[in-house]
Amino acid sequence: MKIMAILAHPDLNTSRANRALCLELQRAGVLLHDLYGAYPDWNIDVKQEQQLLLEHDRIILQFPLYWYSSPPLLKKWFDDVLEYGWAYGSGGDQLKGKAFMVATTTGGSEKEYRSGGFNRYTLSELLRPIERTLTRCDAEFLPPFVTYNTTKATDAELQQQARQYAEIVRMPSELLMS
């Protein structure tokens, strides 16, 4: 299985959590594709991005949670790359059967992301627009991997999360869905 992680962090160098996750994925042989590094001018090469998607079986969308959503360049990536006639709509079946997973980090605790908690919703609920975008393209949406409490986590805790993340990313879809 060929796996690619699309990284959407505006300043990856300053993120302890996302850097730890990336390093562990790199050790596991996952291709890391940094959107902010590749497109500092926000001029996305749609054909190149589509080719990368075609070459991989599983695509991880890794980003910090920004105001209950993804950073803006990832939203632009969705808008530009997932074209009608390519990703969905008449003849748009290029992502059919591809497995996608969201990996996100948040400074809040898991307890804060519950119904009735500080943020009122679970992360799964907040990620529904991304899930529906991908399922609209006939892709498989795998359960998200969330690293909570990143602002308070120790380096050892982040390393433990990163190891778990790398293991989960490589698991067969059937195991992740059960």
Side-chain angles (χ1 to χ4, degrees), residues 11 92 120 156 161 168:
D11 192 2
R120 298 188 181 182
Q161 281 285 296
I168 287 172

PDB file of all heavy atoms in Angstrom, residues 11 92 120 156 161 168:
ATOM      1  N   ASP A  11       3.065  26.769   9.430  1.00  0.00           N
ATOM      2  CA  ASP A  11       4.435  26.922   9.925  1.00  0.00           C
ATOM      3  C   ASP A  11       4.848  25.649  10.664  1.00  0.00           C
ATOM      4  O   ASP A  11       4.910  25.607  11.886  1.00  0.00           O
ATOM      5  CB  ASP A  11       4.554  28.137  10.839  1.00  0.00           C
ATOM      6  CG  ASP A  11       6.007  28.490  11.135  1.00  0.00           C
ATOM      7  OD1 ASP A  11       6.924  27.810  10.602  1.00  0.00           O
ATOM      8  OD2 ASP A  11       6.233  29.424  11.910  1.00  0.00           O
ATOM      9  N   GLY A  92     -16.209  11.614 -13.244  1.00  0.00           N
ATOM     10  CA  GLY A  92     -15.289  11.938 -12.148  1.00  0.00           C
ATOM     11  C   GLY A  92     -15.170  10.819 -11.142  1.00  0.00           C
ATOM     12  O   GLY A  92     -15.780  10.866 -10.077  1.00  0.00           O
ATOM     13  N   ARG A 120     -18.662  21.888  22.365  1.00  0.00           N
ATOM     14  CA  ARG A 120     -20.018  21.450  22.005  1.00  0.00           C
ATOM     15  C   ARG A 120     -20.113  20.264  21.065  1.00  0.00           C
ATOM     16  O   ARG A 120     -21.147  19.630  20.986  1.00  0.00           O
ATOM     17  CB  ARG A 120     -20.829  22.601  21.413  1.00  0.00           C
ATOM     18  CG  ARG A 120     -21.025  23.732  22.353  1.00  0.00           C
ATOM     19  CD  ARG A 120     -21.982  24.719  21.782  1.00  0.00           C
ATOM     20  NE  ARG A 120     -22.143  25.835  22.716  1.00  0.00           N
ATOM     21  CZ  ARG A 120     -22.941  26.824  22.521  1.00  0.00           C
ATOM     22  NH1 ARG A 120     -23.681  26.868  21.436  1.00  0.00           N
ATOM     23  NH2 ARG A 120     -23.026  27.794  23.409  1.00  0.00           N
ATOM     24  N   ALA A 156       7.638  13.469  25.337  1.00  0.00           N
ATOM     25  CA  ALA A 156       7.456  12.016  25.423  1.00  0.00           C
ATOM     26  C   ALA A 156       6.020  11.631  25.051  1.00  0.00           C
ATOM     27  O   ALA A 156       5.794  10.626  24.351  1.00  0.00           O
ATOM     28  CB  ALA A 156       7.798  11.516  26.819  1.00  0.00           C
ATOM     29  N   GLN A 161       2.223   9.431  20.911  1.00  0.00           N
ATOM     30  CA  GLN A 161       1.131   9.653  19.960  1.00  0.00           C
ATOM     31  C   GLN A 161       1.620   9.439  18.523  1.00  0.00           C
ATOM     32  O   GLN A 161       0.912   8.845  17.711  1.00  0.00           O
ATOM     33  CB  GLN A 161       0.587  11.083  20.103  1.00  0.00           C
ATOM     34  CG  GLN A 161      -0.340  11.278  21.258  1.00  0.00           C
ATOM     35  CD  GLN A 161      -1.703  10.657  20.962  1.00  0.00           C
ATOM     36  OE1 GLN A 161      -2.408  11.074  20.050  1.00  0.00           O
ATOM     37  NE2 GLN A 161      -2.059   9.662  21.737  1.00  0.00           N
ATOM     38  N   ILE A 168      -1.208   3.167  13.059  1.00  0.00           N
ATOM     39  CA  ILE A 168      -2.586   3.227  12.567  1.00  0.00           C
ATOM     40  C   ILE A 168      -2.626   3.541  11.076  1.00  0.00           C
ATOM     41  O   ILE A 168      -3.399   2.951  10.318  1.00  0.00           O
ATOM     42  CB  ILE A 168      -3.403   4.251  13.391  1.00  0.00           C
ATOM     43  CG1 ILE A 168      -3.676   3.663  14.777  1.00  0.00           C
ATOM     44  CG2 ILE A 168      -4.692   4.650  12.690  1.00  0.00           C
ATOM     45  CD1 ILE A 168      -4.294   4.618  15.764  1.00  0.00           C
TER      46      ILE A 168
END
